[in-house]
Amino acid sequence: ESLKTYPRADYQKYDWAFCQFGCAPFINIGIRGELKGRENRYTIVMWEELAARADWTIFDPEKCNHAPVVSASELDLKAAAGEKVKLSGSAKDPDGDKLDASWWIPASSCSYSGDASALSVSKTEGWTSEFTVPSDAKEGDVFVVNLEVRDRAERPMTRYAQFVIEVIQ
């Protein structure tokens, strides 16, 4: 009796994030085609992290990339409706790679009942930014602002500082 092979119904060809493991051929560790173009930056970061960590298994530490170390003086903040909040962070890279810093608001993490798509920061690039609490925010609403730091390496790694702003009266 011959062995039958049944294709998986949910199989989709992967399309990016190739990673070579030792002498093995390239293994495609990308995301499914139907996910391409979605605004889920965490998925991309996850695959980049996996590719960088795969290098750790076959190379000496000095030939591998290591994640930046991000810091901020204050992550939990309180502000009134309409108040402007100053945000700042910094980072060092253990490998000496140049770093890119960007600011963004994961609206799904905020507990604001207003139009979350209108939330923004004053600057989206750099080590400082500002967030203005919407004037219609209510006491107890919570806003989240991410500082994303990515190193400029062949196999980049990304780390975050997450600022949580609670609305007070």
Side-chain angles (χ1 to χ4, degrees):
E1 183 178 328
S2 66
L3 183 63
K4 291 185 178 181
T5 305
Y6 298 96
R8 287 186 51 193
D10 64 344
Y11 174 77
Q12 294 288 325
K13 288 187 177 181
Y14 297 134
D15 63 355
W16 68 277
F18 288 90
C19 180
Q20 185 175 8
F21 295 93
C23 297
F26 281 97
I27 298 171
N28 188 333
I29 59 171
I31 60 175
R32 292 181 177 185
E34 73 269 15
L35 297 179
K36 197 173 174 182
R38 285 197 183 168
E39 293 299 319
N40 187 342
R41 54 193 345 144
Y42 296 118
T43 302
I44 294 166
V45 167
M46 178 188 70
W47 287 117
E48 288 175 340
E49 177 94 9
L50 178 61
R53 287 176 177 260
D55 281 352
W56 297 359
T57 65
I58 57 173
F59 293 111
D60 292 330
E62 62 275 0
K63 292 185 179 179
C64 298
N65 188 32
H66 300 87
V69 179
V70 181
S71 58
S73 60
E74 193 173 1
L75 296 172
D76 296 319
L77 306 159
K78 296 185 185 302
E83 187 177 343
K84 189 179 292 189
V85 179
K86 294 183 183 206
L87 308 169
S88 67
S90 62
K92 292 183 180 180
D93 190 83
D95 308 309
D97 296 324
K98 290 189 178 198
L99 300 171
D100 293 316
S102 60
W103 297 89
W104 55 282
I105 299 171
S108 62
S109 298
C110 301
S111 67
Y112 172 56
S113 59
D115 182 10
S117 67
L119 298 175
S120 65
V121 289
S122 64
K123 288 182 3 183
T124 58
E125 304 296 323
W127 297 105
T128 61
S129 191
E130 293 179 338
F131 172 75
T132 302
V133 178
S135 58
D136 65 342
K138 296 177 179 25
E139 184 173 14
D141 280 351
V142 173
F143 296 93
V144 176
V145 179
N146 285 346
L147 168 60
E148 179 179 283
V149 180
R150 184 176 193 260
D151 64 2
R152 293 187 200 171
E154 181 180 357
R155 301 239 189 261
M157 296 183 86
T158 305
R159 292 294 182 268
Y160 302 88
Q162 191 168 67
F163 297 80
V164 178
I165 303 149
E166 181 183 351
V167 179
I168 58 172
Q169 280 191 350

